[in-house]
Amino acid sequence: LVGNSHVLMPGFTKRLLRSLRTGGRSHRSIKLRVVAKIGTTLMKTTKKNATRKAMDEAVWDVIVLQESTTAFMTKHGRRSFMLAVDWFKRHKPSGSKLLLWQAWPQGPSHALYHRRGVWGRWFKNPPRGPDELFSWIASGVKRAADQHGTLISPIGHCWMRLPSGKRPYAGDDYHPSGRGMTFIAEVLASSIIASVGGQDANVGRAKGTCP
């Protein structure tokens, strides 16, 4: 797992391993490595020694790339995301597959949409709401997947299929609650298992199932 605070959430990797073991229905051992830092981007992660060391360690079945939601809100962020995916494609071990984490948007009460606090200083033209932001995220991830022939874990798609009042956000209306972490882990695990099984993506390049 390569990313930021979303893969560092306390208890998330435990939930993911449980979902992988349950969904895989095998006794195959699972090795999981996390290279992440709160608030970072994939482009910054490509420059970390820990990233290069982890990729040199083994031929990973799947390398999951989790980009910051905010990367899809600016031209610079979108370009950096594309360059980062290209870097991972060129440097990944032969035989490893890339899987793009499709993020979910901040909830409707989040300061981003109201240009409050640091969010107002960072983003002068923020999205009008979660639906618009998710459309930016989905199109950005799909563009990278199409260009580099990678698969997408449809985490954001599954999240947005839930009724708006039932989406399991934590108190910051951004990160997931404990129930949300389980939901995300189940989607991601289904995508990893499908990728390892050699299944092809559909026309949207997404592979995985919603809980």
Side-chain angles (χ1 to χ4, degrees):
L1 303 182
V2 184
N4 53 46
S5 60
H6 290 291
V7 298
L8 290 174
M9 294 176 290
F12 175 68
T13 54
K14 183 182 294 185
R15 288 171 167 84
L16 177 60
L17 287 170
R18 183 169 61 237
S19 295
L20 285 169
R21 293 188 179 108
T22 302
R25 295 185 177 84
S26 74
H27 298 291
R28 181 181 180 181
S29 62
I30 300 172
K31 180 180 181 181
L32 175 65
R33 181 77 177 267
V34 179
V35 179
K37 181 181 178 181
I38 294 174
T40 197
T41 63
L42 283 176
M43 179 53 72
K44 292 178 180 178
T45 306
T46 64
K47 303 177 183 356
K48 291 171 64 73
N49 288 333
T51 305
R52 298 169 186 266
K53 182 179 178 181
M55 293 177 69
D56 289 341
E57 258 187 10
V59 177
W60 301 95
D61 289 312
V62 178
I63 299 173
V64 179
L65 304 181
Q66 181 258 315
E67 181 61 286
S68 169
T69 304
T70 57
F72 301 99
M73 299 185 210
T74 65
K75 183 177 180 180
H76 172 73
R78 291 189 292 270
R79 182 173 182 273
S80 294
F81 171 63
M82 294 291 287
L83 291 173
V85 176
D86 177 70
W87 185 92
F88 277 99
K89 183 179 180 181
R90 288 185 288 107
H91 291 84
K92 71 178 181 64
S94 177
S96 297
K97 298 179 180 179
L98 295 182
L99 179 64
L100 304 184
W101 169 303
Q102 183 196 58
W104 59 91
Q106 288 91 325
S109 70
H110 196 274
L112 166 69
Y113 308 114
H114 309 286
R115 294 178 62 177
R116 294 197 305 264
V118 295
W119 299 91
R121 294 198 299 272
W122 289 345
F123 303 104
K124 302 305 180 185
N125 297 296
R128 287 168 291 186
D131 289 339
E132 183 172 46
L133 177 52
F134 180 63
S135 72
W136 296 355
I137 294 169
S139 63
V141 173
K142 186 176 184 301
R143 184 164 61 250
D146 287 340
Q147 181 171 320
H148 299 291
T150 61
L151 294 174
I152 299 169
S153 180
I155 297 169
H157 169 75
C158 293
W159 187 277
M160 296 300 285
R161 283 184 60 183
L162 296 171
S164 58
K166 297 291 186 179
R167 292 169 190 164
Y169 287 104
D172 62 359
D173 217 20
Y174 185 15
H175 292 84
S177 64
R179 189 165 58 90
M181 281 192 282
T182 298
F183 182 87
I184 294 161
E186 290 180 1
V187 180
L188 182 58
S190 72
S191 300
I192 292 172
I193 291 167
S195 300
V196 173
Q199 296 183 30
D200 295 326
N202 60 24
V203 292
R205 302 212 64 83
K207 181 53 63 177
T209 57
C210 299

